[in-house]
Amino acid sequence: MTELLTPADIPYAAELLRAGKLVAFGTETVYGLGADAANPQAVAAIFEAKGRPHFNPLICHYASVEDVFAHVTAPGVAMVLAARFWPGPLTLVLPRRPGCPVAQLAGAGLATLAVRIPSHPIALALIEAAQSPVAAPSANRSGRISPTTAAHVRSQLGGRIAAILDSGPCRVGVESTVLDLSGPSPVLLRPGGISVEALESAIGPIGRQIVPQEAEASRTLRSPGLLLSHYAPLLPLRMNATATEPDEALLAFGPAPPAVLSFQLSVSENLAEAASRLFEGLHWLDANAPAKNLRWIAAMPIPAMGLGLAINDRLARAAAPRA
Ligand code: TXA
Ligand code: MG
């Protein structure tokens, strides 16, 4: 049985976390599947509930900058970014400090840890009440679309986790930007809710990790979660569509061609609105296309700037060949 909790139940949800149970909760980006990051059994249960084939490292969520930098080292550039973008959808990868109590499994045994302070008030209240960092990947089954509502979480993980804390729909709608600060210069590992332009205006040029086109190359990736086919709807997807075939549903962005079934991301071509509706749209098309005998999703072109970089990244993963 998975309990459905409301914000009034935050103290109880925190008690569940302290008891080593899994609690899904909303953040400003997507819903996370939370466990006490310092409890190795609880962290292991996250991988089990998600059906994650590998021990991908998880993001540790904190409620204050002091708590973060007690666990990881803080180069100057991290301080600048923390002051400017936390709480918010930015994850920093930094070297663990000696004695850091976060379970090794949460960082997949790496010498670094991914850390962030979410800006959602319910997430912050939960982490504070738990009195421990909360390890949380997106609260979806492995390889599926990230959830942006409590209902999405229940349909994927209902029965597998202790509770879902309904925190309303997620405002940003795509995952956090992941930036590696553990090397000599900053490297973007995953585009996300904070645009690269915004980061570069704070700290100057950022290196890009090249995402290899072949699954074979995924073994060498620095961030295992960057496997190509990672954010997949059930239906296959093609990008940059300007018209639909008879067996296609449309993921529209702005003025759209005719389609049997379509989901509009933003009629005014607003990238923030489109990001916030992206996973909602993929879930909705997955749920409604089969009844109309549609077998594909055709996604319209989206400019690769600002949040459009993260949207195109998620669409490219959804379009990638399935393993
Ligand atoms: O918005 C988000 O980031 C959401 C919410 C719940 O906070 N979380 C999320 O977690 O998207 P997840 O596990 O789905 O993605 C975490 C990403 C993965 O690509 C993982 O490989 C990378 O962060 N990552 C985590 N720790 C890392 C590390 N030590 N070094 C490099 N990459 C790391
Ligand atoms: Mg994920």
Side-chain angles (χ1 to χ4, degrees):
M1 255 300 284
T2 297
E3 292 186 82
L4 196 57
L5 306 179
T6 70
D9 303 315
I10 287 174
Y12 172 64
E15 233 173 78
L16 290 175
L17 287 174
R18 282 199 299 273
K21 302 278 199 282
L22 302 186
V23 177
F25 62 99
T27 78
E28 75 279 22
T29 58
V30 300
Y31 273 71
L33 178 57
D36 176 355
N39 179 333
Q41 283 87 18
V43 172
I46 289 179
F47 293 100
E48 210 182 346
K50 283 190 59 121
R52 258 203 197 190
H54 309 293
F55 289 144
N56 283 356
L58 308 176
I59 297 171
C60 284
H61 298 72
Y62 292 80
S64 80
V65 175
E66 295 70 46
D67 290 349
V68 171
F69 293 128
H71 290 180
V72 293
T73 61
V77 64
M79 303 302 281
V80 171
L81 291 171
R84 179 101 166 241
F85 297 107
W86 280 349
L90 174 66
T91 294
L92 301 178
V93 173
L94 289 162
R96 291 169 73 113
R97 284 190 192 277
C100 168
V102 170
Q104 285 292 332
L105 183 57
L110 298 172
T112 55
L113 200 59
V115 292
R116 92 172 183 100
I117 302 179
S119 66
H120 196 301
I122 293 174
L124 285 172
L126 176 67
I127 298 162
E128 232 159 60
Q131 295 178 318
S132 179
V134 175
S138 47
N140 49 279
R141 293 276 290 163
S142 184
R144 299 258 80 93
I145 311 163
S146 294
T148 53
T149 64
H152 293 159
V153 179
R154 190 160 54 172
S155 75
Q156 296 199 40
L157 294 174
R160 293 175 167 270
I161 63 179
I164 301 168
L165 179 55
D166 192 340
S167 321
C170 301
R171 180 176 56 82
V172 177
V174 290
E175 298 87 345
S176 61
T177 302
V178 181
L179 188 68
D180 186 353
L181 297 181
S182 67
S185 58
V187 177
L188 179 75
L189 297 182
R190 178 178 75 181
I194 298 281
S195 72
V196 175
E197 293 91 329
L199 294 177
E200 290 188 328
S201 80
I203 59 166
I206 288 169
R208 311 294 163 94
Q209 190 191 39
I210 292 88
V211 176
Q213 293 305 307
E214 290 161 30
E216 181 56 26
S218 64
R219 284 203 214 119
T220 64
L221 282 176
R222 287 166 74 183
S223 189
L226 295 173
L227 290 175
L228 256 189
S229 174
H230 185 66
Y231 300 88
L234 298 172
L235 294 174
L237 179 146
R238 76 181 170 95
M239 296 176 70
N240 298 316
T242 48
T244 54
E245 300 293 328
D247 62 348
E248 288 180 335
L250 184 70
L251 186 66
F253 180 72
V260 179
L261 185 73
S262 74
F263 185 96
Q264 179 60 259
L265 289 174
S266 172
V267 80
S268 62
E269 299 177 62
N270 177 307
L271 289 169
E273 182 186 28
S276 74
R277 290 169 55 75
L278 176 65
F279 292 133
E280 178 72 36
L282 292 174
H283 282 291
W284 188 85
L285 291 172
D286 260 350
N288 292 287
K292 300 203 182 293
N293 283 319
L294 302 172
R295 292 172 208 292
W296 280 81
I297 296 171
M300 287 178 67
I302 292 175
M305 52 185 286
L307 285 180
L309 196 63
I311 298 171
N312 277 297
D313 173 83
R314 305 306 185 268
L315 289 176
R317 288 165 206 287
R322 309 288 163 85

